[in-house]
Amino acid sequence: MFGPQSSSFVMYDEEFKRINVVIEKLLREANAKVIFLVDKNGQLIAATGETEHLDTTSLASLTAGNIAATGGLAKLLGEKEFSILFHEGEKDNLHISIVASRVILVVIFDQRSSLGLVRLRVKKASDELATIFEDLAKKTAEEAKGGHAQSPFAEITDDDIDNLFK
């Protein structure tokens, strides 16, 4: 089941393409270097920009860990969560935000952009991404009602897997 509290969900091709359109647009409009979209478990959903020199798996995991740690701090202070984090480096800066309580949007940018521009563009992109994830939740719920809530891999048998290695 997909929802704010669920730990996993199925990504459909249509929504994946829509997500990529949004993050590619954000990359251009924010003049950013890299954009990542990560689920709260640390799995990379989508990425665009100068990703060839980055360990995307580690970045996704560490981002989720950072959000979890910051969530603990927020609870200690009586807050629900801190939805935006900003880390300033010598060359690169990191803007992290939670979208629709479901996924983490990471923007890496340098001196070619500014925090104000990134925040402005992230807000607009977050609204668009929230709509996509709402659509995804509705689609998942409809699939569950129709009895099609099986794993997309349910039709693959052990024999099919064995045949791949023969």
Side-chain angles (χ1 to χ4, degrees), residues 73-99:
L73 288 172
K75 284 184 180 168
L76 286 174
L77 298 174
E79 293 287 331
K80 180 181 171 197
E81 66 184 7
F82 292 125
S83 59
I84 296 174
L85 305 174
F86 174 67
H87 300 282
E88 184 175 357
E90 285 184 31
K91 295 182 211 168
D92 293 328
N93 306 304
L94 196 61
H95 185 279
I96 302 171
S97 56
I98 300 172
V99 176

Side-chain angles (χ1 to χ4, degrees), residues 112-126:
R112 294 177 294 167
S113 189
S114 68
L115 178 59
L117 177 63
V118 169
R119 288 187 71 170
L120 179 70
R121 300 302 187 198
V122 162
K123 181 164 180 21
K124 185 177 176 188
S126 293

Side-chain angles (χ1 to χ4, degrees), residues 47-152:
T48 189
E50 304 168 20
T51 59
E52 60 276 355
H53 301 295
L54 290 173
D55 179 357
T56 56
T57 303
S58 295
L59 185 76
S61 296
L62 291 170
T63 299
N66 192 350
I67 288 293
T70 305
L73 288 172
K75 284 184 180 168
L76 286 174
L77 298 174
E79 293 287 331
K80 180 181 171 197
E81 66 184 7
F82 292 125
S83 59
I84 296 174
L85 305 174
F86 174 67
H87 300 282
E88 184 175 357
E90 285 184 31
K91 295 182 211 168
D92 293 328
N93 306 304
L94 196 61
H95 185 279
I96 302 171
S97 56
I98 300 172
V99 176
S101 300
R102 292 185 170 120
V103 294
I104 304 163
L105 179 63
V106 181
V107 179
I108 301 174
F109 63 99
D110 59 16
Q111 76 280 354
R112 294 177 294 167
S113 189
S114 68
L115 178 59
L117 177 63
V118 169
R119 288 187 71 170
L120 179 70
R121 300 302 187 198
V122 162
K123 181 164 180 21
K124 185 177 176 188
S126 293
D127 292 342
E128 293 175 23
L129 289 169
T131 300
I132 294 169
F133 280 97
E134 284 174 22
D135 293 346
L136 189 58
K138 287 177 189 170
K139 188 182 254 186
T140 302
E142 288 172 11
E143 291 283 326
K145 279 184 186 175
H148 303 290
Q150 292 182 330
S151 163

